[in-house]
Amino acid sequence: MTSLTEPLSYSPEEVAKILKISKGTVYDLLKRGELPSYRIGKKLRVAPADLEAYTRPAYGAGQRPTSAPPMSVEKLILDNHGLIICGQDIVLDVLSRHIESGYPGVRSLRSYIGSLDGLLALYRGTANVAAAHLWDGETDEYNLPYVRRLLPGQRSVVVGLVFRQQGLYVAPGNPKGIVSWESLLEPGITIANREKGSGTRIMLDEWLRGKQLEPERIQGYEHEELSHIAVASAVARGLADTGLGTEKAAEQVSGVDFIPLKKERYDLVFDRKDMDKPAFRALLAVLRSPEFKHEVAGLGGYDVSLCGEIVGEV
């Protein structure tokens, strides 16, 4: 088994040092496909197996290895006890950066999917950390009811990350007087909605279910956007009168005001059996560190009072 201290991938600069060639030559190899690579975000990475195959005597310069195709970056990270963190909030990017800078042996990959899809990825084994803000209207509880339903047979740990405000984006000065959930039902009010599976969409659907209302009562319900920023932008551009999202996104988009509706808990979920693995010890250490909490609190719009605390086990 690969040690946690062994690299899961190399940058082009690291490849150049190992092969003792210029960085430009490495980029030429990557461009021509002679050395297989993949991307994490905008960064090119080379798998150790591919680099080893390239340096074998059987392969000369300009010859691509003919061994089995390189494993996906996701499988590479999971097999080497790295972290694949599902979720869309910027706080998760900060978390990933703190983990990789503080624990160089731990690799983390971000998967930008919604809460429900994140839990399903956790259940299917294609990710090992899922961020969730799923409100259950019957119990007024966050996340735990969904973890129980969607992860059968799996002992899961739920760890607090942040509290955030969910509310309504409106045009500056709120010309249409939108002040509450009920405002969404008023004639002439159109919304930009979130996609199915997102925590925000589920919050709206749970409210409708609790009131025994059909979605068709809300004009624009079928207008879906893939992020809080996109919903706020739709309101700012006049494509909708309102939409649900986080306070933080309202601060990032000019031309919208924010009407708070509900304080929500945003948690991280993972398998209990992973808790003692080095990558997860690193994850918890970062969550509980003053440096991480101070940076997140400094972003504005986040309450870190439960950050790193176990809020439930299922």
Side-chain angles (χ1 to χ4, degrees), residues 40-90:
I40 297 182
K42 296 182 179 179
K43 296 181 180 179
L44 283 170
R45 308 295 295 183
V46 175
D50 289 323
L51 183 58
E52 180 185 355
Y54 184 84
T55 58
R56 288 176 190 157
Y59 304 108
Q63 291 181 292
R64 183 176 177 134
T66 57
S67 58
M71 69 174 64
S72 70
V73 61
E74 292 86 357
K75 182 169 174 50
L76 183 69
I77 288 176
L78 290 172
D79 284 357
N80 287 277
H81 308 297
L83 301 169
I84 295 182
I85 303 173
C86 299
Q88 298 172 320
D89 197 287
I90 190 175

Side-chain angles (χ1 to χ4, degrees), residues 11-271:
S11 68
E13 292 80 5
E14 291 169 330
V15 171
K17 290 180 181 179
I18 293 169
L19 298 181
K20 297 181 180 180
I21 58 178
S22 71
K23 188 167 63 175
T25 301
V26 173
Y27 279 109
D28 285 339
L29 292 173
L30 299 177
K31 185 177 181 180
R32 294 195 300 266
E34 294 172 11
L35 180 60
S37 65
Y38 59 88
R39 289 184 180 273
I40 297 182
K42 296 182 179 179
K43 296 181 180 179
L44 283 170
R45 308 295 295 183
V46 175
D50 289 323
L51 183 58
E52 180 185 355
Y54 184 84
T55 58
R56 288 176 190 157
Y59 304 108
Q63 291 181 292
R64 183 176 177 134
T66 57
S67 58
M71 69 174 64
S72 70
V73 61
E74 292 86 357
K75 182 169 174 50
L76 183 69
I77 288 176
L78 290 172
D79 284 357
N80 287 277
H81 308 297
L83 301 169
I84 295 182
I85 303 173
C86 299
Q88 298 172 320
D89 197 287
I90 190 175
V91 169
L92 300 171
D93 297 322
V94 177
L95 174 62
S96 183
R97 175 165 52 79
H98 273 258
I99 291 170
E100 292 214 350
S101 63
Y103 300 85
V106 178
R107 293 292 181 267
S108 64
L109 177 68
R110 293 278 291 104
S111 177
Y112 294 89
I113 58 178
S115 296
L116 192 65
D117 289 337
L119 290 181
L120 291 175
L122 191 61
Y123 180 65
R124 293 172 181 142
T126 56
N128 52 9
V129 182
H133 60 115
L134 296 166
W135 176 58
D136 179 62
E138 292 183 2
T139 63
D140 196 26
E141 188 175 11
Y142 270 93
N143 300 322
L144 291 174
Y146 292 89
V147 173
R148 293 187 189 102
R149 297 169 195 155
L150 297 176
L151 302 175
Q154 179 173 316
R155 289 192 59 198
S156 301
V157 175
V158 182
V159 177
L161 182 57
V162 293
F163 289 98
R164 350 178 264 193
Q165 281 287 350
Q166 281 268 14
L168 295 165
Y169 306 126
V170 297
N174 195 9
K176 294 205 172 181
I178 297 168
V179 295
S180 66
W181 291 100
E182 285 73 18
S183 298
L184 303 179
L185 306 173
E186 294 177 4
I189 300 296
T190 62
I191 76 163
N193 205 354
R194 285 296 307 280
E195 80 281 9
K196 291 180 179 179
S198 69
T200 301
R201 172 66 169 265
I202 287 171
M203 181 176 68
L204 174 59
D205 289 343
E206 282 291 277
W207 180 78
L208 287 169
R209 185 172 66 87
K211 297 293 183 180
Q212 297 184 328
L213 297 171
E214 295 298 324
E216 290 76 16
R217 287 286 307 274
I218 298 178
Q219 187 175 343
Y221 179 86
E222 300 300 329
H223 173 181
E224 295 185 355
E225 299 287 352
L226 297 178
S227 70
H228 299 297
I229 294 286
V231 172
S233 177
V235 174
R237 289 178 288 140
L239 301 178
D241 297 311
T242 189
L244 284 161
T246 63
E247 182 179 16
K248 185 62 181 176
E251 296 173 355
Q252 295 173 281
V253 176
S254 61
V256 294
D257 288 347
F258 183 75
I259 310 297
L261 288 180
K262 189 173 184 61
K263 186 176 183 179
E264 67 172 10
R265 202 180 72 222
Y266 195 48
D267 297 329
L268 296 179
V269 184
F270 55 86
D271 197 314

